[in-house]
Amino acid sequence: GLPAALPALPLELTVLYNSLLFTMGASDSAIEGEAEGIHQGLLRVLEACGACGQGLSTEELWHKVLQEVTVEELQAPLHRLGALQAAWWLAASRLGSTAGLFRLLSNAEDPGRARCSEGANELLSLLKAWRVPAEEASLPLVQSAEDLKEVLCTTAAFLQGLQELEAGNFPTALSLLQEAAGGFCSKRVLAQIYTCLGCCAQRMGKPQTALQHLKRALQVDFQCLPALSHAAAVYHELGETAAELQALALLYEALGKNPPAAVSSSPYFLIRTELLVHTPILASLLRHRHPSEVKYLLAQRCLQDGRVADAVEHYLDFLALLQEGLEQQVPLGGGSALPRIPEVFLEAASALEQAGRHEDAITVCEEVISRTTDLIPRMLRVEERLEQAECPSPGVGLAGGLLSQKKESLCCLAWRAAGYLHQGWAWAKLGESKEAVTQFSRCLGDLLRVQLYGSGVEPAGSLLPEVEVLQKIRLLSLIGRGAQFLELGKHKEALLDFQHGLQISPGDPAAASYLVQALWKLNRKPEAAAHWQKFSQSTPGEEGQRRPFPLYLASCLKQAMFPHSEPLARSIQDYLGTTSQDPSS
């Protein structure tokens, strides 16, 4: 409450500097809000000098104080307070305000020294050019201005590197992050910077360089688990499955342990880089995966790589986590690596089938079927083309909600139909053809609930993804049921299924081969030979242009492949050879 007096102001500003340092440093979390103490301190400086600053913003106050206050004894305390203000502004990502402040500080010292060289980063140039005021022995500081300057330089480089990384300016981001890595920070922050360097290099298409940075991050701080997660992603990109699985296994093991005490900075400072850098992109890059996500990735990668036994083990572990209430622990879908729960069950069933555990696969699929039954309407009418589904219309909010609801219903229908499809193939592998036919028929019956309207045959890529999946399930089920009809000697029924399959997917090699076999078994050998010649000469369809199908269909796709191609081809070639020698046959 005392009036401001010039002789006491250096001490007053130094006390303010120290108290704000304690306030900022003691929070041990991100700095938020405006530094009201600095604002009041600047007003008292103007008051002591006979000027008024009421109604001015903090930036305007700094401009007025540094332009009008020339008292020599106040320059050092004001510069230290300016560095503290810069920390506040950097924490709020106000880089322009920070640069403007240091431009004023540099001009106050030497008007000709504030310009930075062409091509250099202005904020970093201004920070480096700032002359730290000398400390007075009579006024001790809890953190020297020199140390604060080093923290500001590292923070400015780190923040700007992250901004450039988010904007896609990767070479500039790389340069700024490298600048930050050479700065003054704790091991924890240094590991984070190397992790960001690794992500930047990966986005630049330099996976080996990315791995070097990520390994360096782990060498600096072995608790920087996001670096291990990103390394697994790089190995996946490189196709190095063994290394990827090893990284994921290490990550899962590390996440299951109680983390030791955090790596501390040495020496300890109240204002640290980790308090000033807390942008959304950094939080995204350093997101810690939930152990369940890593367990799922292990299962998924093993299944994709054909490591069926390992995949089964990981999927069963993951399903056990689900029983423990995983849904409440981590959000499924969205930013998580986890797909929807029914898809995980179906992937587990696919792994179990490939491992020969058909009864277990049937049980897992029954869980999906029972859980989705009440979620599927009796009839579902949907657009089959993307253009129709995405076309804006009056009342777009309501229309969008209905479209989302229909897509959800389509997903539930696809999951239940896929459950029946898996069960059909599993019963077929167990030699139970009649039960297999029943399950395939249930699958096809489910799919009759959907009424598609559009323009008929659609080009690849124009169908709704959900519709494409449903069509593939229908095709696989027709092939599966037809194959079981052949096993049961019902060749005419089999022929109808294969013909229907080719209507859904013209030129499908499995359906075409089974069609030829059915005609052959019906002793319609001229037709069989004609179809075989037609299909053997045709080019593959548009399958390669379509979106990849869900992983849970992988085992069904394998099982639907025609297993007797060579014997059938030899029989038809022998037949064609015979007919060419004996035209009357």
PDB file of all heavy atoms in Angstrom, residues 510-530:
ATOM      1  N   ALA A 510     -12.312 -67.505 -56.943  1.00  0.00           N
ATOM      2  CA  ALA A 510     -12.789 -68.646 -56.142  1.00  0.00           C
ATOM      3  C   ALA A 510     -14.182 -69.081 -56.602  1.00  0.00           C
ATOM      4  O   ALA A 510     -14.434 -70.276 -56.838  1.00  0.00           O
ATOM      5  CB  ALA A 510     -12.808 -68.283 -54.665  1.00  0.00           C
ATOM      6  N   ALA A 511     -15.097 -68.106 -56.739  1.00  0.00           N
ATOM      7  CA  ALA A 511     -16.458 -68.438 -57.171  1.00  0.00           C
ATOM      8  C   ALA A 511     -16.448 -69.042 -58.576  1.00  0.00           C
ATOM      9  O   ALA A 511     -17.188 -70.002 -58.863  1.00  0.00           O
ATOM     10  CB  ALA A 511     -17.334 -67.193 -57.137  1.00  0.00           C
ATOM     11  N   ALA A 512     -15.604 -68.505 -59.449  1.00  0.00           N
ATOM     12  CA  ALA A 512     -15.521 -69.013 -60.820  1.00  0.00           C
ATOM     13  C   ALA A 512     -15.012 -70.455 -60.837  1.00  0.00           C
ATOM     14  O   ALA A 512     -15.541 -71.312 -61.569  1.00  0.00           O
ATOM     15  CB  ALA A 512     -14.605 -68.113 -61.644  1.00  0.00           C
ATOM     16  N   SER A 513     -13.989 -70.736 -60.053  1.00  0.00           N
ATOM     17  CA  SER A 513     -13.428 -72.089 -60.018  1.00  0.00           C
ATOM     18  C   SER A 513     -14.432 -73.087 -59.456  1.00  0.00           C
ATOM     19  O   SER A 513     -14.598 -74.208 -59.966  1.00  0.00           O
ATOM     20  CB  SER A 513     -12.151 -72.104 -59.178  1.00  0.00           C
ATOM     21  OG  SER A 513     -11.168 -71.244 -59.742  1.00  0.00           O
ATOM     22  N   TYR A 514     -15.132 -72.684 -58.386  1.00  0.00           N
ATOM     23  CA  TYR A 514     -16.153 -73.572 -57.809  1.00  0.00           C
ATOM     24  C   TYR A 514     -17.299 -73.785 -58.794  1.00  0.00           C
ATOM     25  O   TYR A 514     -17.884 -74.880 -58.865  1.00  0.00           O
ATOM     26  CB  TYR A 514     -16.682 -72.983 -56.502  1.00  0.00           C
ATOM     27  CG  TYR A 514     -15.891 -73.389 -55.271  1.00  0.00           C
ATOM     28  CD1 TYR A 514     -15.168 -72.465 -54.532  1.00  0.00           C
ATOM     29  CD2 TYR A 514     -15.900 -74.714 -54.840  1.00  0.00           C
ATOM     30  CE1 TYR A 514     -14.460 -72.835 -53.398  1.00  0.00           C
ATOM     31  CE2 TYR A 514     -15.204 -75.103 -53.710  1.00  0.00           C
ATOM     32  CZ  TYR A 514     -14.477 -74.160 -52.993  1.00  0.00           C
ATOM     33  OH  TYR A 514     -13.780 -74.545 -51.877  1.00  0.00           O
ATOM     34  N   LEU A 515     -17.647 -72.750 -59.564  1.00  0.00           N
ATOM     35  CA  LEU A 515     -18.698 -72.886 -60.563  1.00  0.00           C
ATOM     36  C   LEU A 515     -18.323 -73.938 -61.602  1.00  0.00           C
ATOM     37  O   LEU A 515     -19.136 -74.802 -61.966  1.00  0.00           O
ATOM     38  CB  LEU A 515     -18.942 -71.539 -61.241  1.00  0.00           C
ATOM     39  CG  LEU A 515     -19.931 -71.542 -62.411  1.00  0.00           C
ATOM     40  CD1 LEU A 515     -21.346 -71.756 -61.902  1.00  0.00           C
ATOM     41  CD2 LEU A 515     -19.844 -70.267 -63.220  1.00  0.00           C
ATOM     42  N   VAL A 516     -17.073 -73.889 -62.059  1.00  0.00           N
ATOM     43  CA  VAL A 516     -16.585 -74.872 -63.027  1.00  0.00           C
ATOM     44  C   VAL A 516     -16.659 -76.278 -62.438  1.00  0.00           C
ATOM     45  O   VAL A 516     -17.085 -77.238 -63.098  1.00  0.00           O
ATOM     46  CB  VAL A 516     -15.155 -74.523 -63.473  1.00  0.00           C
ATOM     47  CG1 VAL A 516     -14.555 -75.643 -64.320  1.00  0.00           C
ATOM     48  CG2 VAL A 516     -15.149 -73.215 -64.249  1.00  0.00           C
ATOM     49  N   GLN A 517     -16.252 -76.422 -61.179  1.00  0.00           N
ATOM     50  CA  GLN A 517     -16.288 -77.724 -60.535  1.00  0.00           C
ATOM     51  C   GLN A 517     -17.721 -78.254 -60.413  1.00  0.00           C
ATOM     52  O   GLN A 517     -17.985 -79.451 -60.643  1.00  0.00           O
ATOM     53  CB  GLN A 517     -15.648 -77.657 -59.149  1.00  0.00           C
ATOM     54  CG  GLN A 517     -15.507 -79.040 -58.495  1.00  0.00           C
ATOM     55  CD  GLN A 517     -15.015 -78.980 -57.065  1.00  0.00           C
ATOM     56  OE1 GLN A 517     -15.428 -78.103 -56.313  1.00  0.00           O
ATOM     57  NE2 GLN A 517     -14.135 -79.892 -56.701  1.00  0.00           N
ATOM     58  N   ALA A 518     -18.666 -77.355 -60.052  1.00  0.00           N
ATOM     59  CA  ALA A 518     -20.065 -77.781 -59.939  1.00  0.00           C
ATOM     60  C   ALA A 518     -20.604 -78.245 -61.285  1.00  0.00           C
ATOM     61  O   ALA A 518     -21.296 -79.277 -61.375  1.00  0.00           O
ATOM     62  CB  ALA A 518     -20.900 -76.622 -59.399  1.00  0.00           C
ATOM     63  N   LEU A 519     -20.311 -77.508 -62.352  1.00  0.00           N
ATOM     64  CA  LEU A 519     -20.746 -77.923 -63.692  1.00  0.00           C
ATOM     65  C   LEU A 519     -20.122 -79.269 -64.071  1.00  0.00           C
ATOM     66  O   LEU A 519     -20.775 -80.128 -64.674  1.00  0.00           O
ATOM     67  CB  LEU A 519     -20.355 -76.846 -64.716  1.00  0.00           C
ATOM     68  CG  LEU A 519     -21.156 -75.543 -64.653  1.00  0.00           C
ATOM     69  CD1 LEU A 519     -20.494 -74.466 -65.508  1.00  0.00           C
ATOM     70  CD2 LEU A 519     -22.603 -75.770 -65.094  1.00  0.00           C
ATOM     71  N   TRP A 520     -18.861 -79.442 -63.696  1.00  0.00           N
ATOM     72  CA  TRP A 520     -18.152 -80.683 -64.005  1.00  0.00           C
ATOM     73  C   TRP A 520     -18.814 -81.860 -63.284  1.00  0.00           C
ATOM     74  O   TRP A 520     -19.027 -82.921 -63.870  1.00  0.00           O
ATOM     75  CB  TRP A 520     -16.694 -80.537 -63.598  1.00  0.00           C
ATOM     76  CG  TRP A 520     -15.803 -81.652 -64.073  1.00  0.00           C
ATOM     77  CD1 TRP A 520     -15.402 -82.751 -63.381  1.00  0.00           C
ATOM     78  CD2 TRP A 520     -15.219 -81.777 -65.363  1.00  0.00           C
ATOM     79  NE1 TRP A 520     -14.590 -83.540 -64.123  1.00  0.00           N
ATOM     80  CE2 TRP A 520     -14.451 -82.974 -65.373  1.00  0.00           C
ATOM     81  CE3 TRP A 520     -15.248 -80.992 -66.521  1.00  0.00           C
ATOM     82  CZ2 TRP A 520     -13.729 -83.395 -66.483  1.00  0.00           C
ATOM     83  CZ3 TRP A 520     -14.512 -81.412 -67.622  1.00  0.00           C
ATOM     84  CH2 TRP A 520     -13.777 -82.610 -67.593  1.00  0.00           C
ATOM     85  N   LYS A 521     -19.160 -81.650 -62.004  1.00  0.00           N
ATOM     86  CA  LYS A 521     -19.791 -82.733 -61.236  1.00  0.00           C
ATOM     87  C   LYS A 521     -21.198 -83.034 -61.745  1.00  0.00           C
ATOM     88  O   LYS A 521     -21.711 -84.137 -61.573  1.00  0.00           O
ATOM     89  CB  LYS A 521     -19.820 -82.358 -59.752  1.00  0.00           C
ATOM     90  CG  LYS A 521     -18.470 -82.453 -59.058  1.00  0.00           C
ATOM     91  CD  LYS A 521     -18.570 -82.102 -57.589  1.00  0.00           C
ATOM     92  CE  LYS A 521     -17.228 -82.276 -56.887  1.00  0.00           C
ATOM     93  NZ  LYS A 521     -16.831 -83.695 -56.744  1.00  0.00           N
ATOM     94  N   LEU A 522     -21.853 -82.025 -62.347  1.00  0.00           N
ATOM     95  CA  LEU A 522     -23.177 -82.241 -62.935  1.00  0.00           C
ATOM     96  C   LEU A 522     -23.088 -82.837 -64.338  1.00  0.00           C
ATOM     97  O   LEU A 522     -24.109 -82.970 -65.026  1.00  0.00           O
ATOM     98  CB  LEU A 522     -23.939 -80.905 -62.991  1.00  0.00           C
ATOM     99  CG  LEU A 522     -24.468 -80.362 -61.659  1.00  0.00           C
ATOM    100  CD1 LEU A 522     -24.893 -78.907 -61.795  1.00  0.00           C
ATOM    101  CD2 LEU A 522     -25.625 -81.224 -61.161  1.00  0.00           C
ATOM    102  N   ASN A 523     -21.864 -83.173 -64.730  1.00  0.00           N
ATOM    103  CA  ASN A 523     -21.598 -83.767 -66.046  1.00  0.00           C
ATOM    104  C   ASN A 523     -21.955 -82.811 -67.199  1.00  0.00           C
ATOM    105  O   ASN A 523     -22.261 -83.240 -68.304  1.00  0.00           O
ATOM    106  CB  ASN A 523     -22.365 -85.085 -66.223  1.00  0.00           C
ATOM    107  CG  ASN A 523     -21.661 -86.002 -67.227  1.00  0.00           C
ATOM    108  OD1 ASN A 523     -20.428 -85.938 -67.381  1.00  0.00           O
ATOM    109  ND2 ASN A 523     -22.425 -86.818 -67.947  1.00  0.00           N
ATOM    110  N   ARG A 524     -21.902 -81.510 -66.893  1.00  0.00           N
ATOM    111  CA  ARG A 524     -22.094 -80.501 -67.933  1.00  0.00           C
ATOM    112  C   ARG A 524     -20.716 -80.030 -68.373  1.00  0.00           C
ATOM    113  O   ARG A 524     -20.324 -78.875 -68.208  1.00  0.00           O
ATOM    114  CB  ARG A 524     -22.956 -79.356 -67.398  1.00  0.00           C
ATOM    115  CG  ARG A 524     -24.390 -79.806 -67.117  1.00  0.00           C
ATOM    116  CD  ARG A 524     -25.153 -78.888 -66.172  1.00  0.00           C
ATOM    117  NE  ARG A 524     -25.309 -77.527 -66.684  1.00  0.00           N
ATOM    118  CZ  ARG A 524     -26.048 -76.588 -66.074  1.00  0.00           C
ATOM    119  NH1 ARG A 524     -26.709 -76.908 -64.944  1.00  0.00           N
ATOM    120  NH2 ARG A 524     -26.149 -75.380 -66.563  1.00  0.00           N
ATOM    121  N   LYS A 525     -19.965 -80.992 -68.919  1.00  0.00           N
ATOM    122  CA  LYS A 525     -18.545 -80.759 -69.191  1.00  0.00           C
ATOM    123  C   LYS A 525     -18.294 -79.691 -70.265  1.00  0.00           C
ATOM    124  O   LYS A 525     -17.356 -78.900 -70.119  1.00  0.00           O
ATOM    125  CB  LYS A 525     -17.881 -82.082 -69.560  1.00  0.00           C
ATOM    126  CG  LYS A 525     -17.858 -83.058 -68.388  1.00  0.00           C
ATOM    127  CD  LYS A 525     -17.107 -84.332 -68.704  1.00  0.00           C
ATOM    128  CE  LYS A 525     -17.077 -85.271 -67.487  1.00  0.00           C
ATOM    129  NZ  LYS A 525     -16.360 -86.532 -67.768  1.00  0.00           N
ATOM    130  N   PRO A 526     -19.077 -79.617 -71.340  1.00  0.00           N
ATOM    131  CA  PRO A 526     -18.825 -78.536 -72.308  1.00  0.00           C
ATOM    132  C   PRO A 526     -18.961 -77.145 -71.666  1.00  0.00           C
ATOM    133  O   PRO A 526     -18.130 -76.264 -71.915  1.00  0.00           O
ATOM    134  CB  PRO A 526     -19.889 -78.771 -73.380  1.00  0.00           C
ATOM    135  CG  PRO A 526     -20.204 -80.223 -73.288  1.00  0.00           C
ATOM    136  CD  PRO A 526     -20.109 -80.558 -71.832  1.00  0.00           C
ATOM    137  N   GLU A 527     -20.008 -76.966 -70.831  1.00  0.00           N
ATOM    138  CA  GLU A 527     -20.169 -75.684 -70.141  1.00  0.00           C
ATOM    139  C   GLU A 527     -19.012 -75.435 -69.180  1.00  0.00           C
ATOM    140  O   GLU A 527     -18.482 -74.315 -69.088  1.00  0.00           O
ATOM    141  CB  GLU A 527     -21.478 -75.674 -69.364  1.00  0.00           C
ATOM    142  CG  GLU A 527     -22.723 -75.573 -70.205  1.00  0.00           C
ATOM    143  CD  GLU A 527     -23.963 -75.560 -69.332  1.00  0.00           C
ATOM    144  OE1 GLU A 527     -24.199 -74.519 -68.654  1.00  0.00           O
ATOM    145  OE2 GLU A 527     -24.681 -76.583 -69.298  1.00  0.00           O
ATOM    146  N   ALA A 528     -18.623 -76.483 -68.458  1.00  0.00           N
ATOM    147  CA  ALA A 528     -17.510 -76.339 -67.509  1.00  0.00           C
ATOM    148  C   ALA A 528     -16.245 -75.924 -68.239  1.00  0.00           C
ATOM    149  O   ALA A 528     -15.522 -75.013 -67.797  1.00  0.00           O
ATOM    150  CB  ALA A 528     -17.289 -77.654 -66.761  1.00  0.00           C
ATOM    151  N   ALA A 529     -15.961 -76.566 -69.372  1.00  0.00           N
ATOM    152  CA  ALA A 529     -14.755 -76.243 -70.133  1.00  0.00           C
ATOM    153  C   ALA A 529     -14.825 -74.825 -70.676  1.00  0.00           C
ATOM    154  O   ALA A 529     -13.825 -74.079 -70.644  1.00  0.00           O
ATOM    155  CB  ALA A 529     -14.577 -77.243 -71.267  1.00  0.00           C
ATOM    156  N   ALA A 530     -16.009 -74.429 -71.169  1.00  0.00           N
ATOM    157  CA  ALA A 530     -16.158 -73.074 -71.718  1.00  0.00           C
ATOM    158  C   ALA A 530     -15.936 -72.025 -70.640  1.00  0.00           C
ATOM    159  O   ALA A 530     -15.236 -71.020 -70.847  1.00  0.00           O
ATOM    160  CB  ALA A 530     -17.546 -72.923 -72.345  1.00  0.00           C
TER     161      ALA A 530
END
